Amino acid sequence: MSISSQEICILPNNNNLALLQTNGMPGNLYNNCSNLPATPTRLERRLRDRELRKYSKCLNDCEAELPLSTQDCFSPDLETSTCWFNDEELLETVSASRSLNDDGERLDFRTSKQRLLVVANRLPVSAVRHGEDSWQLEMSVGGLVTALLGVKEFDTRWIGWAGVNVPDEIGQKALAKALDEKRCIPVFLDEEVVHQYYNGYCNNILWPLFHYIGLPQEDHLATTRSFQSQFDAYKKANQLFADVVNEHYEEGDVVWCHDYHLMFLPKCLKERNSKMKVGWFLHTPFPSSEIHRMLPSRLELLRSVLAADLVGFHTYDYARHFVSACTRILELEGTPEGVEDQGKLTRIAAFPVGIDSERFIKALELPDVQYHMKVLKQRFAGRKVMLGVDRLDMIKGIPQKLLAFEKFLEENPNWRNKVVLLQIAVPTRTDVPEYQKLTSQVHEIVGRINGRFGSLTAVPIHHLDRSLDFHELCALYAVTDVALVTSLRDGMNLVSYEYVACQESKKGVLILSEFAGAAQSLGAGAILVNPWNVTEVASSIGYALNMPADEREKRHHHNFKHVISHTAQEWAATFVRCELNVTIVEAQLRTRQIPPPLPIEVAVDRYSCSNNRLLILGFNATLTEPVDTLGRKDSQINEWEPKLRPDLREPLRKLCDDPKTTVLVLSGSPRNVLDDNFSDYNLWLAAENGMFLRVTTGDWMTTMPENLSMEWVDSVKNVFEYFTDRTPRSQFEVRETSLIWNYKYSDVEFGRLQARDLLQHLWTGPISNASLDVVQGRRSVEVRPVAVTKGAAIDRILGEIVHNKGMKVPIDYVLCIGHFLTKDEDIYTFFEPELPSEVPASVRPQVPTQVRTSIVGSRAALLMKQNSMSAVEQNKSYSIDGDTLHSMVTDRISFQEGSSMLDLQANDYFSCSVARKRANSRYRLQSSDEVVTLLRELADHR
């Protein structure tokens, strides 16, 4: 069916569908598109997309329905369901002015599917080799495969390991060809990598930890010794997956990574192509930060996952745990939207997975299923049927379920011949000793219960150590009166969804563990239990068996409504279309506000062509040795005494000795700190945000004496002392012009609460009526006099430098780099006052040279005329006699003449933030390592 854009526009709320033009970006003040509507909110996009899906489903319902099949849903003959555009294609299509594509042809939904690359550890098929170049493919089982069986709304390709070792090239080619018919792409892993990566790191380290079992305790030393090799294999395997993805990736594809096996994959993909749309979803629980921090590779894994654009979890609890781990372990900023790292936001959200409910509902009408239902009803006639379907796994709580059922039979002898428990235990990891022990334990409990309460003709428990085919399972779901799910820790548990989908006729009761992710979705209709409380579970079994019909119907109606509306299709569409695509658009808008990387070659080239250069350098986090606050917890002592990086000493000395170059170190640090680090260099030092200034061959002077009143210090100091005492590992520092309270090394959450409380104390107490500014850093609070900023001081500093050096050649090159607080970023805009400070750096217009020179010169002259004060003025008496007045006037005239020495062209000014993506600077450097590279280049091109 072909649909034109005019037909699409009959959708409800179609005015919201064309909010973006074909460029896909909203208007703003800098791209001359301010007449466009504002960008739609996330809620508006979700509502719009919901209407589109309803409309598209209605269209598909009008077509002939395909016969139900249990074949691979990604085989070509089953690709007949709804197709989807990505956001850009959709918005372009629904624009009323465009009903044809660029070639003049009508747009067709069927040919415009968005490609989705689903990357998982295992492919949805199992491969069995027959001969040298022949393979038999069989459908696999598992939670991820079950969930994605219903995802038919995208042009989907699976990428993953086929589960077999294929060392020869002939076998690999034959398998790849066979899998291609199933829309699958294999990743080939050798046996050693599989052993270390899958059996070792994934199953022996990550899986237990994520399910709160902890790291292996037995043979702990051996585990510790082998851990690094397992992690190396894990990274190697993830890189192999990334190589296959990159090989098959096409521009515009969405890459959806799945589960803990591929936590390193988002980073590998983004390093290769930063514009790739990457989502990552975890199908297990994510533990609390206190559990996750036990992992030796905790930092690398968290950083790697954060490389994705969108990170999804089954429940809000798991998402909250992940954000908490990032804030506590990585010390990043957690927001309601996700985790922010220097302007880059990774969106974190909960996406409860569903099933293809329609597949189960329709299966109940098949003759094969009807036959199985008839047999089961006859077999268990006169008895209530309870059902458990689980993997034979330690987290599924099968022993706890059996013990609860035993207790129920003990306390309710009248039910002993009226109820039967059918337990399907699908074997898994049968070669692992722990699982073998679990199997023996389960068999022992089953035997004991059947021996106690069974007879020659009937037993209370029917236990099967095998899986059932789809038709048998649907029939079993349909005849069951009570389903019992007692997981000790489960990411979601889709068995509960499948059971509800097959219970429209019988309306059975679901007993569900509160530790399963499904409890947050089906909790209102299910009976929630703590599987560790055997008495509670036994009591719930009795309540479920005796539940009145009207209550059963109400509970089932609530759950059934949720299951049929929150399907696997809805889950995938929400993650990919509504969230991932929208997240990409929002990230693009956010990226426009991030300064671009400094073009070092251009900066060096302009430097070498100039005749009088001014280099303004910050100190902390710019010229200092890097402090590793994440890997080492003793960094706090080192940070108290910041030191100049040893690898900067030689290039800095060369720059300072260059007669064409003036170097100014402008810092918030005290005078003694700068003296200790720079007394041997021929440069200028500006301490305490520019309040104090000196050339290293001279004495300190005060640039803004009008702001030196410190009568407020004692009252603020008392507040800081109080909060330092009650906040472990926090500290405060009393400087000559400010007080700083730093909680960088305190507990993240507690530190934020204390900082908020401290601000309330300051604003309502000591500084309520004082001329003071409270400057909030990332993990600090500073109190300083109003108008004391680096930008306010630079005009006076510049005047003093020009006067002191007796400059005759105009300053034609300025480089200003530093890791400055937002309050001090006015220094970036000082040399370009014609631009508003909020203009994103990436869209700053290029000002003509003549205009720029005149504006900068006049601006600087005005500021210096008003504010400049030399050392001569500060050493003179303030009594205005004739000689003093004449000297001051002469000095001021010389300053006005010095300010006119600014002769900057537009391309000769480089303002650059260090390790801060959100800044008002023109450019950015990632770290002080890049500062070293830059200064070395400058020193070599004097």
Side-chain angles (χ1 to χ4, degrees):
M1 176 181 292
S2 180
I3 303 174
S4 70
S5 61
Q6 292 177 341
E7 293 171 318
I8 295 176
C9 286
I10 66 174
L11 287 170
N13 299 324
N14 61 342
N15 289 334
N16 289 333
L17 298 176
L19 288 172
L20 300 182
Q21 300 301 316
T22 55
N23 60 5
M25 300 296 289
N28 57 51
L29 296 176
Y30 309 110
N31 60 12
N32 297 321
C33 298
S34 57
N35 58 320
L36 293 179
T39 305
T41 64
R42 185 175 295 274
L43 177 60
E44 290 171 342
R45 290 177 182 270
R46 292 286 297 273
L47 294 175
R48 176 201 64 192
D49 196 78
R50 192 181 205 177
E51 296 294 338
L52 285 170
R53 287 203 298 275
K54 288 181 180 179
Y55 181 74
S56 184
K57 186 177 185 302
C58 180
L59 292 176
N60 280 270
D61 289 342
C62 297
E63 301 178 359
E65 295 184 354
L66 292 175
L68 182 67
S69 172
T70 60
Q71 297 178 11
D72 180 11
C73 66
F74 298 107
S75 60
D77 57 338
L78 287 180
E79 272 201 319
T80 55
S81 57
T82 311
C83 314
W84 296 97
F85 291 108
N86 61 27
D87 272 347
E88 292 81 2
E89 292 170 325
L90 175 63
L91 293 170
E92 185 175 34
T93 301
V94 300
S95 176
S97 62
R98 296 192 62 181
S99 59
L100 303 177
N101 64 14
D102 293 336
D103 298 325
E105 300 171 346
R106 279 196 175 275
L107 292 166
D108 187 284
F109 268 17
R110 301 286 171 182
T111 60
S112 301
K113 282 188 176 182
Q114 184 175 20
R115 274 194 14 141
L116 174 64
L117 302 182
V118 177
V119 191
N121 175 62
R122 288 293 297 270
L123 292 171
V125 294
S126 296
V128 179
R129 191 167 189 173
H130 296 285
E132 187 179 27
D133 59 353
S134 177
W135 291 87
Q136 178 185 348
L137 304 181
E138 298 178 356
M139 199 65 192
S140 300
V141 295
L144 175 58
V145 176
T146 301
L148 291 177
L149 274 174
V151 180
K152 310 166 192 146
E153 301 179 350
F154 308 93
D155 182 8
T156 308
R157 302 289 190 277
W158 277 75
I159 297 176
W161 177 49
V164 292
N165 180 35
V166 190
D168 59 297
E169 186 176 352
I170 295 177
Q172 291 182 2
K173 290 182 177 179
L175 179 57
K177 182 178 179 180
L179 289 172
D180 185 63
E181 298 178 0
K182 296 287 187 180
R183 296 181 176 270
C184 294
I185 302 168
V187 177
F188 295 106
L189 305 175
D190 60 53
E191 289 185 351
E192 179 60 24
V193 170
V194 170
H195 175 69
Q196 293 273 355
Y197 147 72
Y198 182 69
N199 297 326
Y201 194 78
C202 292
N203 289 341
N204 199 41
I205 302 296
L206 291 182
W207 189 90
L209 195 73
F210 282 13
H211 289 86
Y212 290 81
I213 298 175
L215 296 176
Q217 294 301 314
E218 64 277 1
D219 195 16
H220 185 72
L221 292 179
T223 300
T224 303
R225 286 196 301 268
S226 63
F227 175 84
Q228 188 58 47
S229 63
Q230 292 179 359
F231 185 56
D232 292 340
Y234 181 84
K235 292 190 290 185
K236 179 181 179 180
N238 276 247
Q239 186 59 57
L240 292 174
F241 276 85
D243 293 340
V244 175
V245 172
N246 290 324
E247 181 182 350
H248 293 85
Y249 174 81
E250 298 177 4
E251 186 175 357
D253 288 354
V254 173
V255 182
W256 193 2
C257 311
H258 287 271
D259 230 356
Y260 58 93
H261 311 88
L262 302 176
M263 295 181 72
F264 217 76
L265 183 56
K267 178 183 177 181
C268 297
L269 295 175
K270 285 290 190 176
E271 286 179 347
R272 178 73 175 269
N273 184 351
S274 61
K275 296 183 179 179
M276 186 183 294
K277 297 179 181 180
V278 179
W280 183 80
F281 191 89
L282 181 65
H283 292 266
T284 68
F286 191 88
S288 71
S289 60
E290 290 302 306
I291 297 294
H292 184 76
R293 71 191 308 164
M294 296 167 56
L295 193 63
S297 56
R298 58 193 182 182
L299 304 178
E300 291 180 87
L301 290 182
L302 289 177
R303 287 283 186 191
S304 300
V305 171
L306 287 176
D309 300 291
L310 176 63
V311 175
F313 300 90
H314 282 309
T315 70
Y316 171 74
D317 284 345
Y318 307 157
R320 177 171 53 84
H321 289 162
F322 180 81
V323 173
S324 177
C326 292
T327 55
R328 289 180 175 273
I329 298 174
L330 296 182
E331 299 184 357
L332 299 179
E333 188 72 22
T335 71
E337 294 292 311
V339 177
E340 185 172 358
D341 182 12
Q342 293 295 325
K344 195 269 184 182
L345 177 68
T346 300
R347 177 159 164 74
I348 315 296
F351 303 92
V353 72
I355 62 172
D356 186 3
S357 56
E358 190 173 356
R359 177 170 177 255
F360 285 86
I361 294 172
K362 288 186 176 181
L364 298 178
E365 302 173 3
L366 297 176
D368 194 19
V369 176
Q370 290 288 330
Y371 171 76
H372 286 299
M373 291 173 60
K374 182 180 179 181
V375 172
L376 289 170
K377 288 178 180 178
Q378 292 174 350
R379 175 68 179 82
F380 300 111
R383 305 176 76 179
K384 291 282 188 178
V385 178
M386 297 177 59
L387 176 64
V389 179
D390 307 279
R391 288 198 327 272
L392 193 50
D393 206 323
M394 290 176 289
I395 65 164
K396 294 299 182 178
I398 296 178
Q400 286 77 5
K401 180 190 305 183
L402 297 175
L403 292 176
F405 185 62
E406 180 181 31
K407 186 171 184 61
F408 169 75
L409 295 177
E410 288 176 352
E411 297 177 349
N412 299 273
N414 56 313
W415 275 102
R416 291 177 183 175
N417 296 320
K418 298 179 181 180
V419 63
V420 59
L421 171 63
L422 308 181
Q423 178 60 53
I424 311 300
V426 182
T428 180
R429 301 185 70 186
T430 54
D431 57 333
V432 178
E434 289 82 359
Y435 286 78
Q436 296 171 353
K437 181 179 179 180
L438 174 64
T439 301
S440 300
Q441 182 184 24
V442 169
H443 290 171
E444 179 184 344
I445 298 174
V446 170
R448 185 182 74 237
I449 296 174
N450 284 340
R452 289 183 61 188
F453 304 108
S455 64
L456 292 176
T457 58
V459 291
I461 299 178
H462 289 249
H463 180 87
L464 293 180
D465 281 329
R466 70 177 183 87
S467 59
L468 300 179
D469 67 34
F470 179 69
H471 292 167
E472 289 178 325
L473 186 61
C474 289
L476 194 55
Y477 282 145
V479 302
T480 298
D481 296 282
V482 178
L484 192 53
V485 178
T486 55
S487 304
L488 305 181
R489 189 74 62 173
D490 220 343
M492 195 64 183
N493 193 291
L494 295 176
V495 167
S496 55
Y497 277 64
E498 295 171 356
Y499 170 72
V500 171
C502 295
Q503 280 287 312
E504 181 61 12
S505 175
K506 195 153 192 174
K507 297 177 175 55
V509 182
L510 174 63
I511 298 177
L512 181 60
S513 167
E514 63 186 52
F515 298 113
Q520 294 196 14
S521 304
L522 305 179
I527 300 176
L528 297 184
V529 296
N530 178 358
W532 295 100
N533 190 337
V534 174
T535 302
E536 178 189 355
V537 179
S539 175
S540 298
I541 291 174
Y543 182 72
L545 292 172
N546 293 291
M547 185 178 293
D550 59 337
E551 183 179 350
R552 287 205 317 269
E553 185 171 353
K554 289 178 182 178
R555 286 176 176 269
H556 171 76
H557 175 74
H558 182 279
N559 284 346
F560 187 75
K561 183 179 179 181
H562 179 87
V563 169
I564 63 175
S565 60
H566 294 76
T567 62
Q569 298 96 317
E570 185 76 16
W571 169 68
T574 300
F575 188 95
V576 179
R577 292 204 67 250
C578 298
E579 297 295 340
L580 183 53
N581 281 329
V582 172
T583 298
I584 294 295
V585 174
E586 293 175 348
Q588 290 172 347
L589 296 176
R590 191 179 296 107
T591 301
R592 297 177 64 202
Q593 301 175 357
I594 298 177
L598 175 69
I600 294 182
E601 292 184 3
V602 176
V604 172
D605 180 66
R606 301 303 299 176
Y607 174 87
S608 60
C609 296
S610 58
N611 296 310
N612 191 3
R613 308 115 174 194
L614 174 63
L615 306 186
I616 304 173
L617 309 176
F619 181 50
N620 290 296
T622 303
L623 305 179
T624 55
E625 296 177 342
V627 179
D628 184 7
T629 61
L630 301 178
R632 298 170 53 192
K633 294 304 179 183
D634 61 345
S635 304
Q636 184 174 3
I637 303 299
N638 297 332
E639 194 166 334
W640 288 350
E641 300 178 357
K643 298 293 184 181
L644 176 68
R645 292 181 58 135
D647 49 1
L648 272 176
R649 291 170 183 167
E650 181 179 354
L652 185 60
R653 190 175 302 280
K654 290 181 179 179
L655 292 172
C656 293
D657 293 341
D658 182 4
K660 294 183 178 181
T661 303
T662 301
V663 179
L664 166 67
V665 176
L666 178 56
S667 173
S669 299
R671 291 190 270 185
N672 64 301
V673 172
L674 298 186
D675 284 337
D676 293 341
N677 284 278
F678 298 102
S679 58
D680 296 334
Y681 297 87
N682 181 26
L683 49 70
W684 288 78
L685 300 176
E688 306 245 0
N689 300 305
M691 177 66 78
F692 303 106
L693 176 70
R694 84 174 178 105
V695 65
T696 49
T697 57
D699 297 325
W700 286 101
M701 66 190 75
T702 304
T703 61
M704 295 178 284
E706 67 275 15
N707 294 318
L708 270 180
S709 174
M710 300 291 286
E711 298 176 354
W712 50 272
V713 168
D714 290 339
S715 57
V716 174
K717 180 181 177 181
N718 292 334
V719 175
F720 278 14
E721 285 179 342
Y722 171 73
F723 279 92
T724 300
D725 291 340
R726 60 186 284 187
T727 310
R729 297 195 69 179
S730 68
Q731 64 185 42
F732 80 95
E733 181 180 2
V734 180
R735 296 178 178 176
E736 294 181 77
T737 61
S738 64
L739 270 73
I740 299 178
W741 182 67
N742 190 305
Y743 59 98
K744 180 177 181 179
Y745 292 90
S746 303
D747 179 87
V748 177
E749 303 291 339
F750 185 63
R752 287 176 184 162
L753 293 174
Q754 294 294 84
R756 185 169 58 189
D757 197 11
L758 180 146
L759 291 173
Q760 291 178 348
H761 276 74
L762 290 176
W763 287 328
T764 60
I767 68 171
S768 56
N769 297 315
S771 297
L772 299 173
D773 267 341
V774 178
V775 183
Q776 297 182 54
R778 183 164 173 259
R779 304 288 297 278
S780 66
V781 177
E782 179 180 2
V783 178
R784 65 169 79 154
V786 171
V788 175
T789 67
K790 293 179 174 66
I794 190 61
D795 61 308
R796 305 189 184 191
I797 293 172
L798 184 58
E800 185 63 40
I801 291 175
V802 171
H803 174 70
N804 182 277
K805 299 186 72 171
M807 286 186 181
K808 303 300 181 182
V809 179
I811 297 175
D812 55 357
Y813 180 93
V814 174
L815 171 67
C816 178
I817 59 177
H819 182 85
F820 300 136
L821 296 173
T822 304
K823 177 76 174 178
D824 294 316
E825 287 187 348
D826 52 356
I827 189 174
Y828 293 141
T829 56
F830 173 80
F831 294 96
E832 48 183 11
E834 77 282 358
L835 293 177
S837 60
E838 68 272 8
V839 177
S842 59
V843 296
R844 294 188 188 277
Q846 294 295 327
V847 182
T849 301
Q850 299 84 350
V851 176
R852 181 175 181 78
T853 303
S854 62
I855 292 179
V856 173
S858 61
R859 169 65 169 167
L862 176 61
L863 290 173
M864 293 179 193
K865 186 186 301 182
Q866 295 172 345
N867 300 320
S868 291
M869 175 177 291
S870 72
V872 178
E873 287 181 287
Q874 296 183 50
N875 292 326
K876 288 183 179 291
S877 168
Y878 281 93
S879 61
I880 308 299
D881 56 30
D883 293 336
T884 303
L885 179 59
H886 178 267
S887 176
M888 292 177 62
V889 171
T890 303
D891 287 336
R892 286 191 179 277
I893 292 175
S894 66
F895 300 152
Q896 295 172 31
E897 293 173 351
S899 65
S900 64
M901 301 299 289
L902 278 173
D903 187 20
L904 283 178
Q905 295 186 7
N907 296 327
D908 287 328
Y909 173 52
F910 298 86
S911 58
C912 189
S913 60
V914 179
R916 286 177 62 92
K917 290 185 178 180
R918 291 286 185 89
N920 289 326
S921 60
R922 287 185 166 196
Y923 306 102
R924 62 182 171 89
L925 293 173
Q926 293 281 35
S927 66
S928 60
D929 292 334
E930 294 190 1
V931 176
V932 175
T933 301
L934 172 62
L935 295 186
R936 282 176 175 171
E937 290 290 328
L938 295 178
D940 293 338
H941 289 78
R942 291 180 292 170

